[in-house]
Every structure is written in structure tokens, then in C-alpha cells.
């Protein structure tokens, strides 16, 4: 397990995801003040994939540098605002999600054994 | 801009992304020791979308609880291992990416003005 590689890939994914959130923020801001530009950004975001945040920004720069600069500013502000909270939020969300999954599975296993003896439904762990 | 909502959505996305990475790790581990189970997990991951990490785990629990438990353990370990580095990595990657985008754009703008006077290529910022 290459932890460093996974950490790097995770960070890149985060940057892309915050680009997507920043585009949404810029859209909402424009929608209140300049509906025409908001509409343009909406059309552009629908036609260009935002999965790769940096490629999206590059394409936006070619079409509307003003909006591209704005998205850069917003995504950096987003990252600055909650980077410090991320570790706690991530750990707590992960723990919550794992607890929920384990409880649900325990429930399913209990139901199976209460409903009768169906050993084939209880695949033994081969860990 | 609803920062709290964005932070929550970002955390959920991170948990899903680490589920995807955990599945990859479990696959690689199995591939070395139990190729048959590795193959099964590969087939399962190809047919079930992993975009929503929790739904993926739920489905995996119904088919192979042993592997689902293992993915839960690995994704929590991943999150624990680099949660504390995430803020710095995110800030640095974001700054690097923004710097790169701004420099590229500066270069494009300079080229345009050097190549001649084509005012229509220099869309003025309407910020």
C-alpha cells in the first residue's frame, strides 16, 4: 500500500472537488446580480466536464478569463476556510459511517440467525 | 455561500473517495495472496458504481461480508494515516495549481499582445 501516492491522489481529487464547489458558488453569486453571466457559466459547466478541475479552469480561461480568475480565488478561499477542520471532520464522518455499516450488518446477521438455520446465508469470514 | 454545507459535502466526498482507494488496496493485497477473491472483487467493483461509497459497501456486505469488513478497516486506516497532513497538502496543492493557472494565463495574455493588436482576442474583464 503506497500511502504517499494515495495521499497525493486524494489531495488532487480534493482540489478538483473544490473547483466544482467554487464554480457553484460563483454561479450562485452571479445568479443574484448578473443572470446573463450566470446563465453562460451554467451552460459552460454543463458542456465541459469538471471532473478534472485544472483542465476545466484552462478551458474556462480560454473562453472567459474573468470568470476563471474568480473561480481560482473562490476555490482557494474555500480551501483556506476549512482545511484546518478537515482532519476532525473526516475522522468523525469516517467513524460514523463505519459504525453505521457495522451495525447494519450486525442487524442483518442477527435477523438471518433468528429467521432459522440457514448456514449458507452466513458465509463465514475467511479473513 | 454556505460554508458549513460545502464542508460537509466535501467530507462526504472524501469518505467516498477513500472507500474507492481502500477497495483498490484490498484488491492489491488479495491479488498477491488469493487471486480468486481478488478477481471476484475486481468484477464486483466494475459492475457496481463506487461513486457513493456507503451504498457500495452496503451492496458488498450483501455479497461478501468478509471483504466489506476489510474495506471498512482499510478506509479508516487510510483516513487516520493522513488526515493530519491533509490541511497542509491541500493548501500547498491548491496554491501550486492556482499559481500554475495564473502563470499560464499571463503567458497567453502576453502572447496575444505581442502577436499584434487584436483587441477582440483580449476580452476585457467585466469584473
Amino acid at each position: 500500500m503506497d500511502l504517499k501516492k494515495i495521499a497525493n491522489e486524494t489531495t488532487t481529487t480534493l482540489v478538483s472537488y473544490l473547483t466544482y464547489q467554487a464554480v457553484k458558488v460563483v454561479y450562485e453569486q452571479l445568479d443574484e446580480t448578473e443572470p446573463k453571466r450566470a446563465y453562460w457559466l451554467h451552460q459552460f459547466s454543463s458542456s465541459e466536464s469538471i471532473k478534472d478541475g485544472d483542465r476545466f479552469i484552462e478551458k474556462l480561461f480560454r473562453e472567459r478569463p474573468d470568470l476563471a480568475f474568480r473561480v481560482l480565488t473562490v476555490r482557494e478561499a474555500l480551501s483556506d476556510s476549512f482545511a484546518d477542520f478537515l482532519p476532525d471532520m473526516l475522522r468523525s464522518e469516517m467513524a460514523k459511517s463505519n459504525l453505521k455499516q457495522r451495525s447494519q450488518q450486525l442487524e442483518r446477521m442477527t435477523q438471518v440467525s433468528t429467521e432459522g438455520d440457514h448456514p449458507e446465508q452466513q458465509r463465514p469470514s475467511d479473513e
Side-chain angles (χ1 to χ4, degrees), chain A:
Chain A
M1 160 157 71
D2 185 346
L3 259 181
K4 206 182 158 193
K5 185 168 165 256
I6 298 177
N8 284 332
E9 287 176 3
T10 304
T11 313
T12 309
T13 302
L14 254 181
V15 170
S16 266
Y17 184 73
L18 290 182
T19 308
Y20 155 76
Q21 288 283 3
V23 170
K24 268 181 32 176
V25 168
V26 170
Y27 169 78
E28 281 160 19
Q29 290 168 341
L30 290 174
D31 197 38
E32 287 179 12
T33 51
E34 299 167 81
K36 268 192 186 172
R37 284 171 83 205
Y39 179 75
W40 185 91
L41 184 60
H42 178 75
Q43 294 293 100
F44 182 80
S45 316
S46 313
S47 63
E48 297 292 342
S49 167
I50 204 167
K51 255 195 165 178
D52 180 341
D54 274 10
R55 269 195 77 182
F56 179 88
I57 299 261
E58 269 174 47
K59 288 180 181 168
L60 187 55
F61 260 125
R62 287 169 203 278
E63 302 270 340
R64 294 291 299 263
D66 52 318
L67 293 180
F69 276 123
R70 196 154 156 175
V71 171
L72 291 191
T73 307
V74 172
R75 72 175 187 168
E76 196 153 9
L78 286 179
S79 137
D80 282 341
S81 332
F82 55 70
D84 289 331
F85 303 109
L86 265 185
D88 283 348
M89 289 182 76
L90 175 60
R91 281 207 184 89
S92 123
E93 181 66 24
M94 190 60 96
K96 209 178 78 187
S97 179
N98 271 10
L99 182 66
K100 192 183 131 206
Q101 294 281 355
R102 288 192 173 109
S103 314
Q104 281 177 348
Q105 179 59 13
L106 191 64
E107 221 170 275
R108 277 192 289 267
M109 284 160 74
T110 322
Q111 279 171 355
V112 169
S113 48
T114 324
E115 280 164 9
D117 284 316
H118 299 295
E120 75 277 8
Q121 285 185 32
Q122 293 172 291
R123 187 191 288 269
S125 167
D126 49 0
E127 290 294 291

